[in-house]
Amino acid sequence: MTMTEVSSSSEKDRAEYRGRHWARRLALQALYQWDMSGGDISELLDQFSRKDDILRANAGYFEQLVRGVLDHEEDLDKQLTPALDRPMKRLDPVERTVLRFACYELLHCREVPTAVILSEATRLAAKFGTDKGSKYVNAVLDRVAISLRKACAA
């Protein structure tokens, strides 16, 4: 592999990482909005597809996360519940949303490394959640990540 190929590959990987980061960030916002007010998923996706930030995001991954979480919400909550110290309904809405989409990724996005999912979830919880939200999200995901990834492999 030449230096140009290595550089091009690294740039492509960074661009993919950034696109998925922005997809997660927008998914957090969209899912939070849906959690607070409900509504039609198509309208929600359409609304977010018109945001300027969608140009930074991997739009397909954004839609996959939003649809995936909403389609599998009951199962995601069931997977997360044993690691929680309180009912899902009593979690901070940002923490609940981050936990759901990270759990979705752990179960359904096998190409994404576990460490990346946990790092991104913790980072977004720190940026948008409560003071201790990122620590809580990290602790919960640490408890469920291994068993969820094993379940995916089976």
Side-chain angles (χ1 to χ4, degrees), residues 4-54:
T4 304
E5 290 171 325
V6 169
S7 176
S8 176
S9 175
S10 295
E11 287 177 32
K12 183 180 176 186
D13 290 346
R14 282 192 296 274
E16 179 66 19
Y17 175 83
R18 283 191 304 272
R20 285 191 174 191
H21 168 74
W22 280 96
R24 289 180 187 99
R25 186 178 173 135
L26 286 175
L28 169 59
Q29 294 170 12
L31 291 165
Y32 175 88
Q33 180 176 319
W34 184 86
D35 193 30
M36 295 291 97
S37 60
D40 181 70
I41 187 172
S42 296
E43 289 176 18
L44 181 69
L45 290 169
D46 183 56
Q47 175 189 351
F48 275 81
S49 72
R50 289 183 266 121
K51 286 183 166 274
D52 290 339
D53 287 341
I54 199 69

Side-chain angles (χ1 to χ4, degrees), residues 2-154:
T2 67
M3 288 301 287
T4 304
E5 290 171 325
V6 169
S7 176
S8 176
S9 175
S10 295
E11 287 177 32
K12 183 180 176 186
D13 290 346
R14 282 192 296 274
E16 179 66 19
Y17 175 83
R18 283 191 304 272
R20 285 191 174 191
H21 168 74
W22 280 96
R24 289 180 187 99
R25 186 178 173 135
L26 286 175
L28 169 59
Q29 294 170 12
L31 291 165
Y32 175 88
Q33 180 176 319
W34 184 86
D35 193 30
M36 295 291 97
S37 60
D40 181 70
I41 187 172
S42 296
E43 289 176 18
L44 181 69
L45 290 169
D46 183 56
Q47 175 189 351
F48 275 81
S49 72
R50 289 183 266 121
K51 286 183 166 274
D52 290 339
D53 287 341
I54 199 69
L55 299 174
R56 296 177 175 175
N58 176 326
Y61 200 67
F62 160 74
E63 185 169 345
Q64 178 186 352
L65 288 175
V66 172
R67 286 188 184 278
V69 168
L70 296 179
D71 289 346
H72 299 280
E73 181 182 3
E74 188 176 312
D75 182 51
L76 298 173
D77 289 359
K78 186 174 144 184
Q79 298 294 330
L80 290 163
T81 297
L84 301 177
D85 63 350
R86 55 189 171 265
M88 202 67 167
K89 292 177 184 178
R90 292 195 46 225
L91 292 178
D92 173 81
V94 170
E95 293 164 18
R96 181 174 50 241
T97 301
V98 170
L99 287 170
R100 283 176 177 156
F101 78 71
C103 184
Y104 174 82
E105 284 187 288
L106 288 166
L107 287 168
H108 299 281
C109 303
R110 295 189 38 100
E111 74 283 3
V112 182
T114 301
V116 170
I117 295 169
L118 272 60
S119 174
E120 282 285 284
T122 302
R123 183 176 172 188
L124 289 169
K127 180 159 184 72
F128 295 104
T130 62
D131 289 341
K132 296 180 182 176
S134 63
K135 290 179 183 176
Y136 185 76
V137 164
N138 189 51
V140 170
L141 292 175
D142 274 345
R143 283 187 222 125
V144 299
I146 293 171
S147 63
L148 291 179
R149 282 288 161 114
K150 281 183 183 176
C152 292

